[in-house]
Amino acid sequence: MKRLLTGLKPTGELTLGNYIGAISPLVKLQEDKENEILLFVADLHALTVFQEPSLLRDRIKRFVAMYVACGVDPERTTIYIQSQNEYIPVISWILECNTYYGEASRMIQFKEKSKGKENFTVGLLTYPILMAADILYCDADYVPVGIDQNQHVEIARDIADRFNKRYGDTFKLPSSLITKQGTKIKDLKDPTKKMSKSEENPAGVISLFDDLNAIHKKIMGATTDSDNAVYFDEENKPGISNLLNIASIMSDRDVDDIANEYRNSGYGNFKRYCAEVTVNKIKSIQDRYNELIETGEIDKILKDGIEKSRLIAKEKCELVKERVGLI
Ligand code: TYM
C-alpha cells in the first residue's frame, strides 16, 4: 500500500490548471486499490496573502464540493480541511527550527512572490515548511502535484532527511509524482506563464465555476501565433501547445492524435474543438457540483476526513515532540 497526499490552496476559484495538474491525476490514481489517498484544502496556506474572511470561508467549502464533483471519491480518498488539524502547525514549527533561512529563501515561488515588494508576510517564506508538515505528518510516499510545486516537495524531503539524521528515524522521505497530465497549463492570454487562480486578467484563466459561454469565448480568444498549422511545439508555439494539452486531457485523447486531425484545418476549427470538449467536461462537473451543494453530503465527508487525519497526525506529533525533547 502506498500513501499519496496532496492539497490545493483556496486563494481564488479552482482553475482548469488545478484540475489538469492536480485533481484529474488524483482521480486516475484512485483506480489503483494499492493507493491510499489524502486530499485537503490548504486554507492555512491561503492566509500568506490577505483573504477577505467571508469569501475565504465560503470558498473553502466550495473547494471540497468541487473535488467531489471532479470525481474524487470520498469512499476512496480522505478529504479534510488543513486548519482543522491542530497538530500540523505544531509539527510545522518544529520543522521550521530545523530549516535554514537560506534554503527557504531560495524557493522559486518565494522569490517570485516577494520580488519588488517592500512588505510581504513571513508566512510567504515559511510556506514550504508548513507544506512539509502537511506531507510528513502522514508519511506520504508520493505527492501528486503540478511541476510548479516540485521544489516544495524536494525541500520537504531535505528537511525530513536532516531531521532523521539529527534525531533518529521519524519521517518517511516523500517524492513528488508528476504525471504526464501534470503538465503546466498556461494562461490563455500569456502562454509563457502558468494559469493561476490569483491572476488579475480573467480572460486568460478558466475557472471551474465559469459560465459555459464565457469558457467557450476564452478559448476562442486564446493568444496563438500567426502560423496556421496545428502541431505541438512548446517553445515556438506555446499558445497552440497549451490548447493541445487542454484538449487532450478534456477529451482523453493523445495530443498527437488531435494534432494530426487538425494539423491543416486552421486554428479556428481546432479552437472550436478544444472549446467544445472543455465546455462539455466542465458542464458535467458543474452539474454534479450543484447536486452536491443541495444534499449537504459535504459536511459528513469532512467530518470523517478530519477524524482520520487528526488520528494520524496526533501520533506523529507526539513522536516528533518526544524526539526533540519536549514533554
Ligand atoms: P496550488 O493551490 O497553487 O495548486 C494546486 C495544485 O494545482 C497545480 N497547478 C497546476 N498544474 C498545472 N497547470 C497549472 N497552471 C497549475 N496551477 C496549479 C499545482 O501544481 C498543485 O499541485 N502549495 C500548494 C498547496 C499545498 C500542498 C501541500 C500540495 C499545501 N500543502 C502539501 C501538496 C502537498 C499550492 O499552493 O498549490
Side-chain angles (χ1 to χ4, degrees):
M1 202 78 174
K2 293 284 177 213
R3 186 170 275 170
L4 284 73
L5 164 133
T6 200
L8 295 93
K9 185 179 59 181
T11 44
E13 298 305 347
L14 282 169
T15 67
L16 189 64
N18 296 136
Y19 176 75
I20 292 178
I23 305 177
S24 127
L26 199 80
V27 169
K28 286 237 152 68
L29 289 161
Q30 277 182 157
E31 287 164 16
D32 184 344
K33 301 282 178 271
E34 287 301 304
N35 291 335
E36 186 201 355
I37 304 177
L38 292 101
L39 170 66
F40 64 96
V41 184
D43 55 346
L44 291 173
H45 277 102
L47 298 178
T48 50
V49 286
F50 175 75
Q51 305 293 324
E52 186 57 48
S54 61
L55 294 183
L56 177 63
R57 201 168 295 126
D58 203 44
R59 205 184 292 132
I60 292 169
K61 274 230 172 144
R62 275 194 281 136
F63 260 49
V64 177
M66 209 28 131
Y67 291 168
V68 180
C70 288
V72 175
D73 176 2
E75 300 282 325
R76 295 266 312 114
T77 295
T78 302
I79 305 175
Y80 62 95
I81 296 172
Q82 179 192 35
S83 65
Q84 295 186 341
N85 187 330
E86 68 274 30
Y87 300 103
I88 293 174
V90 178
I91 299 175
S92 178
W93 171 254
I94 298 174
L95 296 179
E96 277 186 37
C97 298
N98 284 277
T99 306
Y100 297 112
Y101 174 79
E103 63 186 334
S105 59
R106 274 196 294 277
M107 292 293 106
I108 295 168
Q109 191 170 298
F110 169 70
K111 287 206 259 182
E112 279 174 3
K113 297 210 165 163
S114 59
K115 195 169 156 195
K117 294 211 176 103
E118 258 185 43
N119 273 325
F120 48 85
T121 67
V122 177
L124 208 57
L125 176 70
T126 55
Y127 179 113
I129 311 170
L130 178 59
M131 184 161 159
D134 288 330
I135 298 170
L136 301 177
Y137 89 83
C138 69
D139 287 322
D141 295 280
Y142 295 108
V143 186
V145 279
I147 193 119
D148 60 307
Q149 294 296 321
N150 191 35
Q151 201 187 25
H152 291 159
V153 180
E154 278 171 8
I155 196 177
R157 193 183 168 88
D158 292 345
I159 296 170
D161 191 37
R162 179 177 312 124
F163 191 98
N164 288 349
K165 288 190 174 125
R166 188 174 279 170
Y167 295 106
D169 232 11
T170 309
F171 298 116
K172 194 174 250 184
L173 304 192
S175 306
S176 53
L177 189 68
I178 298 165
T179 57
K180 190 166 163 277
Q181 280 195 308
T183 318
K184 197 189 279 185
I185 297 301
K186 310 284 174 31
D187 188 282
L188 298 176
K189 283 292 171 199
D190 178 357
T192 59
K193 65 180 194 194
K194 116 175 153 170
M195 183 183 283
S196 164
K197 310 183 196 86
S198 28
E199 172 58 43
E200 271 152 30
N201 180 3
V205 181
I206 294 179
S207 149
L208 297 182
F209 292 95
D210 271 348
D211 170 79
L212 299 175
N213 287 327
I215 297 175
H216 201 278
K217 269 202 193 128
K218 286 181 187 181
I219 294 182
M220 295 307 291
T223 302
T224 48
D225 52 77
S226 52
D227 160 34
N228 217 18
V230 176
Y231 60 94
F232 194 85
D233 177 349
E234 275 189 316
E235 202 177 315
N236 299 309
K237 298 173 77 71
I240 286 295
S241 303
N242 191 37
L243 293 179
L244 276 167
N245 275 330
I246 294 174
S248 156
I249 294 178
M250 295 291 110
S251 62
D252 228 343
R253 288 174 66 187
D254 276 351
V255 162
D256 290 347
D257 188 24
I258 302 173
N260 287 339
E261 184 179 334
Y262 286 94
R263 188 172 176 106
N264 299 315
S265 35
Y267 285 172
N269 284 328
F270 165 61
K271 280 181 164 177
R272 211 161 293 121
Y273 173 73
C274 182
E276 248 163 49
V277 289
T278 307
V279 164
N280 286 345
K281 185 79 180 184
I282 295 185
K283 180 178 184 318
S284 71
I285 293 175
Q286 290 182 353
D287 288 347
R288 174 88 180 104
Y289 172 86
N290 291 331
E291 270 171 37
L292 280 162
I293 288 292
E294 277 164 26
T295 62
E297 264 173 81
I298 297 303
D299 291 335
K300 162 93 175 69
I301 293 171
L302 284 175
K303 184 168 171 293
D304 294 349
I306 194 63
E307 266 172 27
K308 178 159 181 206
S309 161
R310 288 182 76 248
L311 218 61
I312 303 170
K314 181 170 188 284
E315 201 179 311
K316 184 65 86 185
C317 190
E318 280 166 7
L319 175 66
V320 171
K321 283 167 91 174
E322 187 200 309
R323 287 272 201 261
V324 300
L326 302 177
I327 294 173

